[in-house]
Amino acid sequence: MTFDVKAIPLVANFNQMMAQREGAMVHGIILGIFCLGFGIFLALTELATHNSIADRAMEDRQNSLGQVIPKTIHDNNPVLDTLTLKDDEGEDLLIYRARQNGQVTGVAYEVHGSGYAGRMKFMLGVDAEGKVLGVRALSHKETPGLGDKIETKKGDWILQFVGLSIGNPPLEKWKVKKDGGKFDQFTGATITPRGTINAIRSGLEFFAANRAQLLEVK
Amino acid sequence: MSQAATATISGPFAHNTNTVQRTMFTVVLALSPATLFNLYLFGWPSIFLFAVTIGACLATEAISLLLAGRPLWRTLTDGSAILTGWLLAMTLPPWAPWWIGVLGAVIAIPLSKQAFGGLGQNLFNPAMVARVALLVSFPVVMTAWIAPHPLFSDHSPSVQQSVAITFGGEMPDGVTAATALGYVKTELSRGVPVAESLTEYGRDTTLTYTPDLMDLATGYKPGSLGETSAVLILLGGLYLMRRRIITWHIPVTVLGTLFVMGTIFNLVDSSRFAPGLFHVFSGAAFLGAFFIATDYVTSPVSEKGQIIFGIGVGLLTWVIRTFAGYPEGMAFAVLLMNSVTPIIDQYTRPRLFGRTRKGEPLPIKVSP
Amino acid sequence: MATPSYGRIARDGLWDNNGVIAMLLGMCPTMAMTTSATNGLGMGLATAVVMAASNFMVAASRNYITREVRIPVYILIVAANVTFVDLTMNAWMHELYKVLGLFIPLIVSNCLPLARLESFASKEPVMPALMDGIFMGLGFTLALTLIGAIREITGAGTLFADASLLLGPAFKFMEMRIMPADMGVLMMILPPGGFLVTGFVVVGKRLIDIRTGKGIQMSGAHSV
Amino acid sequence: MQEYILLMVGAALVNNVILARFLGLCSFMGVTTRIDTAIGMGLATTFVITVSSMGNWAVEQYLLEPYHLGYLRTVTFILVIAGAVQFTEMTVRKVSPPLFQMLGIYLPLITTNCAVLGVALLLVEGKMTFIAATVFAFASSLGYSLVMVIFAGLRERLALSEVPQLFAGPPIGFIVASLLALAFLGFSGISTT
Amino acid sequence: MKLFPIRGGIHPDYHKELSGECAIETLPLPTRLYLPVQQHIGAPAEILVSEGETVKKGQLIARRQGQISAPHHAPTSGTVIAVTEVPAPHPSGLSQLTVVLEPDGHDEWVTTLPEPIADPFAVPAEVLAERVADCGIVGMGGATFPSAVKLQLGIRHRIDTLLINGAECEPYLTCDDRLMREHADEIIDGARIMAYALGAGRIVIGIEENKPQAIAAITVAATAFPQLEIAALPVKYPMGSERHLTLAITGLETPARKLTADLGVVVHNVATARAVYQAVRFGRPLITRVVTVSGEGIRTPKNIEAPIGTQVNDLIAFCGGFAQRPERIIQGGPMMGTPLPNLDVPVVKGTSGILALTAAEINDRPSDPCIRCGSCVNICACGLTPVELAARIRHDDLEGATKLGLLDCVSCGSCSWVCPSHIPLVHYFNYAKGALAAQDREQRKLERTKTLVEANTARQERLAAQRAAARKPKAAPGGEVSA
Amino acid sequence: MLTAVGSLTAMGIALGGLLGVAARLLAVEEDPLEQELQAMLPGSQCGQCGFVGCAQAAVALAKGEAPVTLCPPGGKAVAEQLAKRLGVSVDLSEHAAQVPMYAVIDEALCIGCTRCVKECSVDGIIGTSKMMHTVLAETCHGCGKCAEACPTEAITMVEIPRTLATWHWPKPNAKHIH
Ligand SMILES: Cc1cc2nc3c(=O)[nH]c(=O)nc-3n(C[C@H](O)[C@H](O)[C@H](O)COP(=O)(O)O)c2cc1C
Ligand SMILES: Cc1cc2nc3c(=O)[nH]c(=O)nc-3n(C[C@H](O)[C@H](O)[C@H](O)COP(=O)(O)O)c2cc1C
Ligand SMILES: Cc1cc2nc3c(=O)[nH]c(=O)nc-3n(C[C@H](O)[C@H](O)[C@H](O)COP(=O)(O)O)c2cc1C
Ligand SMILES: Cc1cc2nc3c(=O)[nH]c(=O)nc-3n(C[C@H](O)[C@H](O)[C@H](O)CO)c2cc1C
Ligand code: SF4
Ligand code: SF4
Ligand code: SF4
Ligand code: SF4
Ligand code: FES
């Protein structure tokens, strides 16, 4: 049995229009049909992948939070346990909370400092006592080979902050050695570490200032 | 006396005595006082680096010429490769390791000059391309300025030590020092006002050497291998002007613009902006104005064009020094203005005799 | 134009008419995605998939597309394919996606796929069009990997760093350190290095073509 | 005001579309043999980038965001750009025939110029306000035009010099572009925030 | 007097001391004289004599052809021994039709010389112009443009100033200097006659400051005439160029593609003025000229009044021959002169100097690449960019070079002189100007061919139609074909 | 899902319509040759040929203002195709400079047959039947047709000699400059 598409009236009509190539609408219809087709195609793809992608995104966020909040100290999903506060500049700051048995055992939030080539973003994890649980660079534009040693991939420098808090070392030692502080700068690059230290310090100060709200059990 | 039936060369049959070679070696001569002073000031390591850089420039030029199948001797002795090497060396940190000089030569000669077809064809100043490429690639090595260690003085490194410094890459501890520009810049980045850091610069005890005002003027201060002595560079520059190798247009506009920008902004906000004189007398401003921005090949040919070029170099130097990440802006400013030189050339051609600026014949004016 | 043989298509795509080093198309990803060999490889492969699919679709529907809406339809097809690749990789090849994810939307704005649609797929039958897409894509991959490798070795001292993230743990062996990191010439992984290496790769192709007796194909003969 | 100036300097010089962001390179290598053409291309592209960015901003704001259609971004943006090019062509032709004479021939080229899409995507990424987005788009395209014209000037001079055969054409073009990018690195570190 | 600055210019070594103090000597009659038909700009003259004919001094031997042309006269009495192709004093070494005259030694004037004009200021201007034309006077400042044509400018233009060009800015040359020192009266009389013919009320004699004696002599001779002014010009090459002289003295810039006459200014050389004096006051045609023979290659440099047609050989022999091997023999000055292919070429009306220059004087060397020093741009008195022009010409972009003003270049040679890379810039320009002219000729020929072809086809068609018409009634008579 | 498909389709239709309207309103008379040539070009609009795009390149090709080898992306194949369509040869060796010639009739051999006269399309040959013929040098444009027609081979084509009026300085030896 043969089936001739051209037998369908609409297709025949369309073919005729195509043949004449007249009327502005024909182009609109062609493009429209393609859009319709690909729209359906993409919408279906999206439908099919939607949940999967959301899961992956959740995993990703859990994993990255996991780097600044150890899995061992919580039994909840910090990604979903969030709180919004105003930071020093009055911007909304999203805070992830880790809980063990309902008690807040740690929080994580973004802090930022200015580096050699612009803003550097970090995720800072702080435990209930105000000690650093972990810091990771989220994004920065520092020079490869110089400033990028703040990444864990390129060095251990950023790991040294774990366990530190305001007071340990004392506030005036939260500086690079060059400025009379406790922390090493990188050879030939002082600005990046300086910005990083500032970011962590102000993050800890934020914790201190908002401690009650942060640890409040709801 | 008989000549070929056709005389093959059209006139004129008189030429001045100037040649490319003479021009280049005059510039070398003009550079010598400042160079000798700095070689003395920074000792054997700087002498080694200087020799290596020039030698490498000559060697890479020779190799490029051989590969291109061009005549060797004449081009090699025209002095341009020596001058490029010389100027490159003068902008390097004095105790930089030998490979900095060699790599610089590879960038300056084969890449920035010979790939374009050799002398006169390049679009960017070879020495500055090399310097900037090195700075961008090796920021640590390229910003390791050292305190003066005059030859024959007590703390000058011996020849053996110097060999270790230049060829072994063993930088001794406690010799580095900040240049005034670098110092002000880093201090500013931690919020110290310029005026304060300027006075601090002379007193900062964490620096191994801090020049006083007199030192700043004579050039007894940290800096690159050839830039520290504004006075001697000025002397060389004036000699070049006298010999009509360069004209006043570029040096005066570069330094003038730098001074004017510095002064105006310093008056507006002295905590943020360094004074004009500071800009003019620190870093490579003099070297750049007299010897680098004036490079014939990469600057405009007409006097009007040179004025625009000079203002551009001064302005960009100030902008980069003041706002950008690098402490010294002269090299970048020169390269940036090199890139617009063809456009400047196109729009600053002299007016043709008997024509308007647009090229139309002038209207007829009759004598009164 | 007679449809070229598959051999011809392969040779053109991989070398003679290579999208990057002969036609100088798709320059943007070439510069942006070649800071390492792995990035180049990943970008190249993703582009190859999109090119093959787009070429196929355009060749199949070429008779229904009017001249006036030709370009929007082609771009639409490329964009749809890119989005499809983007979504499916995100969902089901997530590890790979994390490496390539950033680059994928950029394929839309690469002029090479579009150029092949215009000049090949819109005129040829489905199968040759598909092959053209595949080989042009592979040629693109080859060029990007080569440029990426040169930049990575000279700039960072490594080769195929993180290849195992892209290709799976089995490819860990590819990750090499050629020289210590502090010997890297930073400029090579910064923008100037991209232009420089691409220029020298074109010179390299010329040298090889001269050796094999093809002579310098003066692409862009008018330019200089 | 100051933030807009910084935004403009950042978009035009520090993160130049061509030299730092690597967008629109094909036209950079292709349409820069003469200063005149580079100027024309620059003007036309500036126009299209600015107009289409406004359109794309609206699409993002009123369609993609509210209905969670982020996955359709590339597709819709491309359609908007194609439309903007066509719209530009029609209006320019109607409003100013001389301008059309000058720019008309460049317009079809621009649809396939990835600087246009690239700038639009950057706007979304930066979550800018309408005015900031417009300023950013305009400054970016200005930076594009600037580099196009500079490069065309350099190539015009290159055409009169004696480049060795092996390097003549694209290779020396790439080398020049490389050195130009190197010079533009001088602007890096200018804080634009 | 107040002078106006001119752009650019150079200060070459002048070497005028070689011959500056040598009074003009008269050359003894040579054994042969060679008189080419073309010694001027315009159409070649038409030869009136044939082999074997005897001629008298001053006799017309070739008459002018057309508007812009000049006649030639026998410089002495003798026999025409040949009318043949002889190498021209031209760098190409090509030949041109030449009358070869063997002097008989009597130096006998022809009897039919035109009558002296006793009071030139009482005759109509046309009569004077006619006399200048008949006497074969052409511009002796180098351009050899027929002077009569310039004298008639007063008819179509309002001329208010006559500039007498005594700048002599070319190095080595001293012929004008000597002429001004020794014949100031004649020059001034000639200038006054020309001014009268032009209707110009003002005469300015421009002399470079490095010729103080000439300035003094002219000043003395000019005191009687209030309409005469003397301008002591700064020493700067190319001050003698017509347009630049006009600018320096009057402050008027001659528009491109226009003549100074459009500004009311006419420029004549001092030697031209003297030739006019002789033609008008004595009816004598232009048959001799003062030639500077100089250069380190010449044993005793001299200023020689020589008959037109004297071979360069004879002049050099008169100066004691060569002192050292010259690198080149130049006709004219070193800046704008042309190299001679050999020494067997004649002195013509425009030959102001014969220079035997040594390699050291020329100081040429193989060229280096252009280092874009900009000297050429800054010294070009015409505001050109020689560096870019030459680059365009080298890349065969003649059109681009023309747009940059190639045709406004006066070939003064300053740019080549100053170039540290010794790039033959002027050679490039000369080549390009020649090539453009050749293209032009070809274009004109092409157009001519096109019209001829059209005419031919039209005629063929007409003939065919006629034949067809003729064939109808009766068979056409074949045979004759018209050319 | 519906919004996605719906809005995309709507945009498509709108844009398509716009393009259609534009195509109609702005229809430009296109030279069929240009269109044909443009179809042969790759259409990548890359501009490497020195024109802004293929359309402009095609226009220039049609006018004969651009060489068929203009298009680097198209490579040899396109060049050959263009050459075939335009009926030109791609072999560059054919472009060798031709020296202008003119015809000279050897008077001793001329039999006055007038065949050459009939051949000459510019009336450059004078003479009547049975009389010896000569060529007007300044009229002859060197086509050589008369030489072919001459039965006695009396006509030879010679280079136009240089005279003082046509001589000009040669181009300086390129070796002077690197
Ligand atoms: C190309 C280049 C990139 C740089 N990148 C960084 C960087 O990423 N982080 C940084 O702290 N300093 C960077 N610097 C160095 C700064 O300019 C400055 O010299 C340094 O931070 C001051 O530190 P110091 O006191 O150790 O010299 C860079 C310098 C250059 C030349
Ligand atoms: C009516 C008229 C037409 C002239 N035409 C020309 C000409 O075609 N070519 C030329 O070289 N000089 C011509 N001249 C002579 C110029 O005015 C001038 O004398 C000549 O170009 C030489 O000038 P120079 O020696 O400064 O180059 C003409 C003069 C006049 C009065
Ligand atoms: C560069 C240059 C320099 C000249 N120098 C002189 C000069 O020194 N003396 C002179 O009489 N003519 C000189 N001329 C020729 C004049 O332009 C002009 O032709 C001449 O003075 C007209 O007079 P004439 O027609 O009587 O020769 C020079 C021309 C040029 C282009
Ligand atoms: C006044 C003057 C300044 C120069 N400055 C430089 C320079 O800054 N850098 C350089 O590489 N060459 C310089 N040169 C040498 C020469 O122009 C250089 O090698 C060419 O750029 C190479 O084509 C200079 C030459 C002169 C005459
Ligand atoms: S004078 Fe010579 S070297 Fe200087 S710019 Fe002119 S042509 Fe070039
Ligand atoms: S020869 Fe021509 S280009 Fe050179 S200086 Fe004289 S007028 Fe200018
Ligand atoms: S080079 Fe080829 S593809 Fe590029 S514009 Fe010209 S014809 Fe089109
Ligand atoms: S060659 Fe041609 S133009 Fe010349 S005479 Fe013969 S037929 Fe006529
Ligand atoms: S890939 Fe960006 S313009 Fe071609």
Side-chain angles (χ1 to χ4, degrees), chain E residues 139-141 150 165 168-169 238 240-242 267-269 272 336 412:
Chain E
M140 294 172 81
K150 278 165 91 173
N165 190 344
E168 202 165 48
C169 57
S241 151
E242 184 172 66
V267 183
H268 275 288
N269 172 255
T272 315
M336 293 189 66
C412 71

Side-chain angles (χ1 to χ4, degrees), chain D residues 66-142:
Chain D
Y67 299 103
H68 303 288
L69 298 176
Y71 66 95
L72 286 183
R73 189 169 291 128
T74 30
V75 181
T76 47
F77 276 19
I78 278 289
L79 288 175
V80 169
I81 290 167
V85 169
Q86 204 65 52
F87 173 75
T88 310
E89 183 164 342
M90 286 191 342
T91 39
V92 172
R93 181 173 262 197
K94 262 259 139 49
V95 176
S96 165
L99 189 65
F100 182 78
Q101 281 281 312
M102 218 161 74
L103 303 186
I105 48 175
Y106 303 103
L107 287 166
L109 267 177
I110 295 173
T111 324
T112 62
N113 183 337
C114 51
V116 186
L117 183 64
V119 169
L121 291 174
L122 284 171
L123 290 178
V124 175
E125 200 181 288
K127 299 206 174 26
M128 296 185 190
T129 65
F130 182 73
I131 296 187
T134 312
V135 169
F136 178 83
F138 181 68
S140 298
S141 41
L142 230 48

Side-chain angles (χ1 to χ4, degrees), chain E residues 88 90-92 94 96 339 367 369 393-394 396 423-424 427-428 430-431 434-435 441 445 448-449 452-453 456 459 483, chain F residues 117-118 120-123 127-128 137-141 160 162-172 176-178:
Chain E
H90 187 269
S92 66
L94 291 172
Q96 68 168 327
S367 52
I393 296 167
R394 192 160 66 245
D396 295 313
I423 295 167
H427 192 151
Y428 274 106
N430 287 344
Y431 151 72
R441 275 197 302 275
K445 170 134 194 185
R448 188 175 132 103
T449 303
L452 285 173
V453 171
N456 178 286
R459 204 193 57 237
Chain F
V117 176
K118 288 180 203 137
C120 185
S121 52
V122 290
D123 300 327
T128 45
E138 52 291 16
T139 306
C140 168
H141 65 285
I160 297 177
R162 290 221 145 171
T163 65
L164 284 180
T166 60
W167 183 89
H168 65 77
W169 285 102
K171 192 171 171 180
H176 276 284
I177 298 196
H178 310 271

